[in-house]
């Protein structure tokens, strides 16, 4: 058992040393590359040509941008979900407000006032408006889902809501 533990410890030490040596080798190679490109770039600049970008800095920048893209995708997804939620809430509020306005309008009319259209027509128009609003919300949601599935985050105008019961 002690022999097995010693062998495992020895293997772990050897592995640790190999990793340390690999890190040192990579660091040296990185410095050599940076020095080579700095010298080459300086020669080009002195001869009037453009500077050669440092590949190490470029690789670091690419890695930073890749991690930023992941964070932005997550944030974009959260914003898209919130926007969809707000769209549903606004549609619900719009329908509730339309009904409340209709009820207040009916209460405000006195018995001596004549109604130009009967209440059934008004009810039909409010119902039609509510259906139009819900249909437009469905179109909006459908377009947003299609854009999300295609990776396209361009916002499109889903169209105008028909506000007349005559359409």
């Amino acid at each position: 058992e002690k022999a097995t533990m010693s062998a495992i410890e020895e293997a772990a030490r050897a592995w640790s040393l190999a990793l340390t040596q690999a890190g040192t080798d990579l660091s040296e190679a990185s410095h050599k590359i940076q020095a080579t490109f700095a010298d080459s770039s300086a020669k080009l600049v002195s001869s009037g040509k453009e500077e050669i970008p440092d590949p190490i800095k470029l690789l670091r920048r690419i890695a930073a941008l890749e991690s930023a893209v992941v964070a932005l995708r997550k944030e974009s997804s959260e914003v898209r979900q919130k926007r969809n939620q707000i769209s549903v809430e606004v549609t619900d509020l719009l329908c509730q407000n339309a009904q409340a306005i209709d009820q207040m309008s009916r209460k405000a009319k006195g018995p001596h006032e004549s109604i130009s259209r009967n209440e059934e027509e008004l009810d039909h128009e409010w119902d039609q408006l509510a259906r139009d609003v819900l249909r437009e919300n469905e179109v909006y949601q459908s377009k947003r889902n299609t854009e999300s599935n295609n990776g396209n985050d361009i916002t499109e105008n889903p169209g105008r809501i028909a506000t007349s019961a005559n359409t």
Side-chain angles (χ1 to χ4, degrees), residues 2 23 31 39 53 64 71 80 93 96 105 121 140 144 165-166:
K2 285 184 180 182
H31 289 296
D39 289 342
R80 197 173 15 259
L93 287 173
Q96 290 171 10
S105 171
E121 286 179 18
Y140 173 78
R144 293 305 308 156
N166 298 331

Side-chain angles (χ1 to χ4, degrees), residues 66-118:
E66 286 174 341
S67 63
V69 165
V70 170
L72 287 172
R73 279 189 182 138
K74 181 182 176 189
E75 185 177 330
S76 172
S77 176
E78 291 169 357
V79 167
R80 197 173 15 259
Q81 289 173 353
K82 185 68 174 174
R83 184 175 41 207
N84 290 340
Q85 178 186 357
I86 289 171
S87 172
V88 169
E89 291 172 1
V90 167
T91 301
D92 290 344
L93 287 173
L94 181 61
C95 291
Q96 290 171 10
N97 286 343
Q99 290 173 348
I101 290 170
D102 181 48
Q103 290 173 357
M104 289 173 32
S105 171
R106 290 178 191 199
K107 287 180 182 178
K109 293 180 182 176
H112 60 282
E113 295 182 51
S114 63
I115 299 176
S116 61
R117 293 183 266 176
N118 69 33

Side-chain angles (χ1 to χ4, degrees), residues 125-166:
E125 287 182 18
W126 283 115
D127 288 341
Q128 183 64 38
L129 178 60
R131 283 193 298 275
D132 289 344
V133 168
L134 292 172
R135 186 173 32 257
E136 288 296 321
N137 184 48
E138 289 173 4
V139 168
Y140 173 78
Q141 295 296 330
S142 172
K143 285 186 178 184
R144 293 305 308 156
N145 289 338
T146 301
E147 291 169 3
S148 296
N149 292 338
N150 293 336
N152 181 4
D153 288 335
I154 297 173
T155 303
E156 295 181 17
N157 183 354
R160 301 186 68 99
I161 297 173
T163 56
S164 171
N166 298 331

